[in-house]
Amino acid sequence: MFATFFKELRDAKIPVTLKEYLTLLEALDADVAQQRVEDFYYLSRSLLVKDERYLDRFDGVFGHVFKGLDLMSETATVEVPDEWLRAMSALYLTDEEKAKIEELGGWEKIMETLRQRLAEQKERHQGGNKWIGTGGTSPFGAYGYNPAGIRIGQKESRHRRAIKVWDKREFKDLAGDVELGVRNIKMALRRLRRFAREGAAEELDLDQTVRGTARKGYLDLALRPTRRNAVKVLMFFDVGGSMDWHIQTAEELFSAARSEFKHLEYYYFHNCLYESVWRNNARRWSDTTPTWQVLNTYPADYKVIFIGDASMSPYEITHVGGAVEHMNEEAGATWLQRVTGIYTHAVWLNPVPETHWGYTPSIGLVNRLMEGRMYPMTLSGLDSAIRELMR
C-alpha cells in the first residue's frame, strides 16, 4: 500500500525522493502517527511535500490511494455544517419563472437600496423578494435568483448574475510546471523572439578561440555571453470565478511562457484590472502590489499579455465601486486605458470561444478598451496575437 502511495506521488510529478519515503516508513515503525489516519496524513505531508505548490496535488493522491479510510474522529456525534443546511434551501426556478423577476435597476439604485436594507433589517429572512436573505428573489443574499444583485454569504456562483460579491474568496496560483499539451503553445510563442547576447561571458566562442590560438601560438580560450531571447513580456492572469473553467488552458500558456522567455514578469487580477495586483493567490489580500508601481517598474518596451475570459458585470468595468469583491476608487476601464497608453504592444487572450463573445456585453467592452486587440486562446488566435505584438 505504501509503495503504491510513493509511486502515485511520483506519477503526479510531486518531487518525492526514496530517502523521504524510507524516512516515512521509519516514522511509521516508530508509531509516530499512533495508528490514526489524520496523524498519518499530516506526518506524510510534512515528510514528503517540500513546496506548498504541491499541497493540492498531494491531497488528491492521498485521497485516491487511501479512499475509504475513516478520517472522522472517534466521537459518534457529527456536526452538520451550517452552510450545508443553508444550501438545502437554495431556490430553483424554471426559465419562465426567472423571466418574470424584474431587475431592481441600475448600479446606483441597487447600491442605494442595499444601504437602506442594511439600516432597516433586524433579523434573518428566508425566501421573499425584498430583504437580505436566502432562497428568495431579493437582489441581496444567497441561494436565490435575481437578474442583477449582490451575492452575500454563498460559497460559489450558481447563476453568474451577481454584479458584486460580499465574500472573501480564495484562489489558487497557476502551476508553472505544467507540460501537458504545451508543445504547440511553445512553438507559437517562439515567433515572439529577438535574440541577443547578454549577461556574463560563459559560452565558448569556438571561432574566436581558433583565431586567437593561431595568432598567439598557444591555447587562447575566448568566451561570449549566451544568446538569449531578449523580448520582455509582462503577463496579467485573471484567476478565480468563471476562469476556473479555463484553468488548464491558462496553466499551459503560463508554463510555456516561463520556458520561452528569460524576461518574464507576471501578476494576477480578478475579472478586471484595478489599483492592485498580486503574485501569490494565497496572500492576495495581504500582499498586493500597486498597479501604478508595476506600470512604473517595467518600461514601455515590454510586451503586455492579458489572459482572461472578460466575463463579468459591465459595472465592474465602467463604474467606480463596481468591482465584484471590493470598492474600487477608479473604474476598471481607467486602468486598462492606462496600460494601453503606456504599452503600445498589448493584447488580450480570451479562452472563451470567439463565437460566444457576442453573448457577453463585458467582452465587447474589454475588446473596445483593448482597441480590438482581443484574440481567442487558440493556436490561430495566438498566432494573430504574436503578429500584433511583433508589429
Side-chain angles (χ1 to χ4, degrees):
M1 177 174 61
F2 296 121
T4 300
F5 183 37
F6 175 70
K7 179 180 181 300
E8 295 214 11
L9 288 173
R10 295 294 296 268
D11 290 343
K13 296 189 177 356
I14 300 175
V16 180
T17 65
L18 183 60
K19 181 178 180 181
E20 291 165 345
Y21 171 65
L22 294 176
T23 302
L24 174 63
L25 295 184
E26 291 178 5
L28 292 175
D29 288 340
D31 200 23
V32 174
Q34 299 181 349
Q35 300 182 17
R36 289 174 52 88
V37 176
E38 293 181 26
D39 290 346
F40 169 63
Y41 163 77
Y42 288 112
L43 172 66
S44 59
R45 193 179 75 172
S46 64
L47 289 175
L48 303 178
V49 181
K50 302 179 286 294
D51 192 316
E52 63 182 11
R53 290 180 299 173
Y54 302 112
L55 288 178
D56 290 333
R57 211 177 298 179
F58 174 85
D59 288 347
V61 173
F62 189 93
H64 171 69
V65 174
F66 301 106
K67 59 185 177 182
L69 293 181
D70 185 11
L71 293 177
M72 300 295 292
S73 60
E74 297 178 358
T75 177
T77 303
V78 178
E79 294 286 340
V80 179
D82 291 341
E83 57 267 22
W84 290 11
L85 298 176
R86 287 196 294 268
M88 291 177 63
S89 63
L91 178 65
Y92 294 93
L93 303 173
T94 65
D95 291 340
E96 292 77 10
E97 291 171 329
K98 291 178 182 178
K100 295 178 181 178
I101 302 173
E102 296 182 2
E103 184 176 333
L104 181 61
W107 171 263
E108 289 78 10
K109 178 66 174 176
I110 291 175
M111 296 302 292
E112 178 59 32
T113 304
L114 175 61
R115 281 190 284 269
Q116 294 176 4
R117 297 286 188 273
L118 289 172
E120 298 171 3
Q121 186 166 333
K122 304 300 181 184
E123 58 186 12
R124 181 185 181 278
H125 282 268
Q126 167 71 30
N129 59 7
K130 177 181 178 181
W131 298 106
I132 304 170
T134 58
T137 58
S138 165
F140 318 109
Y143 303 108
Y145 175 82
N146 193 276
I150 297 178
R151 194 169 84 229
I152 304 173
Q154 182 176 313
K155 181 180 178 182
E156 58 188 10
S157 176
R158 296 170 65 240
H159 304 290
R160 303 196 180 281
R161 306 290 307 208
I163 64 172
K164 201 170 186 68
V165 178
W166 225 279
D167 290 296
K168 179 180 179 181
R169 293 182 287 173
E170 302 298 335
F171 303 148
K172 297 179 181 179
D173 291 342
L174 298 180
D177 55 354
V178 174
E179 287 295 335
L180 270 178
V182 300
R183 182 177 180 276
N184 288 333
I185 299 177
K186 287 182 178 180
M187 296 300 292
L189 291 178
R190 283 173 187 170
R191 296 187 180 93
L192 188 60
R193 293 185 293 186
R194 187 178 67 249
F195 286 107
R197 296 196 179 277
E198 55 185 23
E202 55 188 19
E203 178 183 281
L204 177 65
D205 187 337
L206 184 59
D207 292 340
Q208 192 63 33
T209 297
V210 170
R211 283 193 292 267
T213 301
R215 186 174 62 253
K216 296 180 181 179
Y218 57 86
L219 182 60
D220 182 27
L221 292 178
L223 301 177
R224 63 186 177 184
T226 303
R227 187 169 177 262
R228 303 178 187 276
N229 187 358
V231 169
K232 303 171 185 176
V233 179
L234 176 59
M235 304 183 81
F236 294 98
F237 287 91
D238 181 7
V239 291
S242 55
M243 275 301 291
D244 287 345
W245 295 357
H246 311 291
I247 189 72
Q248 180 177 351
T249 305
E251 284 188 334
E252 289 174 355
L253 178 62
F254 181 46
S255 182
R258 289 187 70 175
S259 68
E260 288 299 319
F261 302 113
K262 177 186 178 184
H263 304 287
L264 172 66
E265 303 293 340
Y266 67 92
Y267 293 90
Y268 297 114
F269 69 98
H270 182 54
N271 282 359
C272 192
L273 191 68
Y274 296 111
E275 66 277 1
S276 61
V277 290
W278 56 92
R279 282 282 183 88
N280 188 321
N281 281 305
R283 298 195 296 270
R284 70 189 186 100
W285 296 109
S286 59
D287 187 12
T288 61
T289 302
T291 306
W292 266 127
Q293 179 178 322
V294 174
L295 303 186
N296 289 326
T297 298
Y298 306 108
D301 61 342
Y302 269 76
K303 316 286 188 182
V304 173
I305 304 176
F306 286 94
I307 298 91
D309 60 6
S311 300
M312 65 197 93
S313 165
Y315 297 124
E316 298 183 56
I317 305 170
T318 59
H319 279 61
V320 171
V324 71
E325 294 184 309
H326 73 290
M327 301 299 290
N328 53 302
E329 296 181 357
E330 294 181 290
T334 301
W335 285 103
L336 290 179
Q337 288 168 339
R338 285 172 178 156
V339 171
T340 56
I342 294 173
Y343 302 96
T344 56
H345 300 95
V347 298
W348 187 295
L349 295 176
N350 194 328
V352 174
E354 190 172 8
T355 54
H356 297 173
W357 289 3
Y359 301 118
T360 307
S362 60
I363 293 180
L365 275 173
V366 172
N367 196 13
R368 287 193 291 274
L369 289 166
M370 293 297 298
E371 301 172 354
R373 290 173 291 179
M374 178 181 287
Y375 302 92
M377 199 182 290
T378 60
L379 289 178
S380 60
L382 194 54
D383 281 340
S384 299
I386 295 301
R387 284 196 294 270
E388 174 62 35
L389 291 174
M390 294 301 291
R391 288 177 57 185

